[in-house]
């Protein structure tokens, strides 16, 4: 039997680091800590090694197609495939509440469009029965939207990736050409770029869950809570180790039949399609 392999993106600090640590303690197989910055990645690796843990490190910039392709080639050559993927890499330039086009595009490229690249190059290496967890947030719930056309599009039970891409591009064009409307979003459209990228991530999770269900691959999105990291506005409320627990649950303990869901940090399964619900991100900036 092939050695089981788990991969965590954006794992040199914060939540990603905590997920790797938890997997090293509980997952029976090889755990890859990946990060865009090799120096910081190696430092994180060394820190875990001093605690007696033995993850592997590989550089991975999820926003760089060549980097993703090279990593996929490495995994294919070294292991033939893998069993767990945690899409954790993300950015939030929180000092720009209403960002420039360039800042909005950076957020969308890293938080959402990188997942399309990962699906293209890494998903073919997922073994049957694999588990994928994409880290979303309260910003990723559909209730962050007020634009009825967008809600209707993303609520389609036959939603396809192309429609998600169209939604994302429509938002970016509104910023680029000065037609952005705060009323299209909850909370006066503050950090709409982050809401759009995380909504798109969650929607893509639902699409992927349908696409790969016949291979028994479990794919879910999760809101880990307002985690105490340097990316969190106001410092966060939940310790990374505590926040990692819900992700480790989805990987290690949840039913393999659980797929296409949006799980809250308390393990509650939230109806992602409840656009009128009180789940949207608020009061963090």
């Amino acid at each position: 039997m092939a050695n089981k392999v788990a991969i965590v993106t954006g794992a040199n600090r914060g939540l990603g680091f905590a997920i790797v640590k938890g997997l090293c303690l509980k997952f029976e197989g090889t755990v890859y800590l990946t990060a865009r910055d090799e120096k910081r990645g190696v430092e994180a690796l060394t820190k875990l090694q001093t605690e007696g843990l033995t993850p592997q490190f590989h550089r991975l910039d999820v926003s760089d197609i060549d980097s993703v392709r090279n990593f996929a080639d490495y995994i294919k050559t070294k292991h033939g495939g893998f069993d767990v993927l945690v899409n954790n890499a993300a950015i939030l330039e929180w000092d720009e509440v209403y960002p420039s086009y360039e800042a909005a595009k950076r957020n969308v490229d890293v938080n959402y469009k990188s997942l399309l690249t990962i699906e293209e190059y890494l998903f073919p290496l997922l073994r049957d029965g694999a588990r994928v967890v994409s880290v979303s947030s309260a910003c990723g719930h559909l209730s962050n939207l007020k634009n009825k056309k967008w809600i209707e599009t993303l609520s389609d039970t036959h939603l396809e990736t192309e429609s998600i891409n169209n939604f994302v591009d429509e938002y970016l064009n509104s910023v680029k050409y000065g037609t952005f409307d705060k009323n299209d979003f909850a909370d006066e459209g503050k950090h709409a770029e982050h809401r759009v990228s995380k909504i798109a991530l969650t929607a893509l999770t639902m699409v992927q869950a349908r696409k790969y269900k016949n291979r028994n691959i479990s794919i879910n999105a999760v809101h880990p809570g307002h985690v105490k990291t340097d990316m969190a506005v106001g410092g966060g409320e939940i310790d990374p180790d505590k926040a990692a627990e819900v992700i480790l649950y989805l990987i290690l303990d949840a039913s393999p039949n659980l797929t296409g869901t949006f799980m809250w940090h308390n393990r509650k399964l939230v109806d992602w399609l409840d656009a009128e619900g009180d789940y949207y991100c608020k009061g963090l900036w």
Side-chain angles (χ1 to χ4, degrees):
M1 180 181 292
N3 176 47
K4 286 195 171 185
V5 177
I7 296 166
V8 183
T9 70
N12 63 283
R13 60 184 176 180
L15 179 61
F17 182 84
I19 296 166
V20 169
K21 182 164 66 173
L23 285 172
C24 286
L25 292 169
K26 299 178 180 179
F27 179 72
E28 296 182 0
T30 302
V31 180
Y32 277 92
L33 183 160
T34 72
R36 178 181 59 184
D37 187 298
E38 184 163 358
K39 181 175 181 292
R40 291 176 180 174
V42 171
E43 288 173 351
L45 182 76
T46 302
K47 184 176 180 180
L48 289 170
Q49 288 173 337
T50 62
E51 297 180 24
L53 305 177
T54 57
Q56 302 295 309
F57 171 74
H58 199 288
R59 182 181 179 276
L60 176 62
D61 181 349
V62 297
S63 63
D64 182 339
I65 292 175
D66 289 338
S67 179
V68 177
R69 185 191 297 118
N70 291 339
F71 180 58
D73 288 343
Y74 170 82
I75 292 296
K76 183 176 182 180
T77 301
K78 179 83 172 178
H79 302 284
F82 68 107
D83 308 271
V84 171
L85 173 63
V86 181
N87 292 310
N88 173 69
I91 63 170
L92 169 58
E93 297 174 36
W94 54 268
D95 55 327
E96 293 190 40
V97 176
Y98 296 105
S100 65
Y101 170 73
E102 290 75 18
K105 186 175 185 301
R106 277 195 301 273
N107 186 288
V108 167
D109 284 348
V110 173
N111 295 359
Y112 168 64
K113 291 195 174 180
S114 69
L115 299 181
L116 304 178
T117 305
I118 285 173
E119 182 175 0
E120 180 178 358
Y121 293 103
L122 283 174
F123 270 49
L125 302 179
L126 286 168
R127 297 184 179 121
D128 290 355
R131 300 199 181 199
V132 178
V133 179
S134 291
V135 179
S136 186
S137 76
C139 285
H141 192 272
L142 202 61
S143 58
N144 285 274
L145 291 181
K146 298 301 178 185
N147 182 304
K148 289 187 171 19
K149 186 189 82 169
W150 289 346
I151 293 172
E152 184 177 340
T153 295
L154 296 172
S155 299
D156 189 341
T157 55
H158 301 291
L159 179 68
E160 298 294 342
T161 303
E162 182 180 3
S163 295
I164 306 173
N165 293 341
N166 290 340
F167 153 67
V168 167
D169 290 341
E170 191 171 328
Y171 159 72
L172 287 175
N173 284 334
S174 77
V175 178
K176 185 175 184 179
Y177 298 111
T179 59
F180 170 74
D181 187 350
K182 296 178 182 180
N183 296 317
D184 285 336
F185 299 90
D187 199 28
E188 300 180 327
K190 296 172 184 175
H191 280 296
E193 84 289 355
H194 201 63
R195 298 176 199 272
V196 166
S197 69
K198 290 298 188 179
I199 289 167
L201 173 151
T202 311
L204 182 65
T205 301
M206 307 306 172
V207 172
Q208 291 173 336
R210 293 200 324 267
K211 285 170 66 175
Y212 298 94
K213 192 171 184 178
N214 64 343
R215 293 183 51 204
N216 297 318
I217 296 176
S218 172
I219 305 176
N220 297 286
V222 63
H223 164 43
H226 190 207
V227 186
K228 293 177 182 176
T229 69
D230 54 10
M231 192 173 80
V233 182
E237 301 167 350
I238 303 176
D239 182 81
D241 288 338
K242 180 67 176 177
E245 289 179 3
V246 65
I247 294 151
L248 295 170
Y249 167 75
L250 284 169
I251 294 168
L252 302 170
D253 300 318
S255 166
N257 297 320
L258 187 70
T259 190
T261 69
F262 187 36
M263 183 172 282
W264 220 242
H265 56 84
N266 57 3
R267 299 189 188 178
K268 177 184 177 181
L269 291 178
V270 169
D271 181 5
W272 185 71
L273 297 175
D274 182 10
E276 300 298 322
D278 185 24
Y279 297 108
Y280 67 91
C281 193
K282 48 187 174 291
L284 300 183
W285 28 67

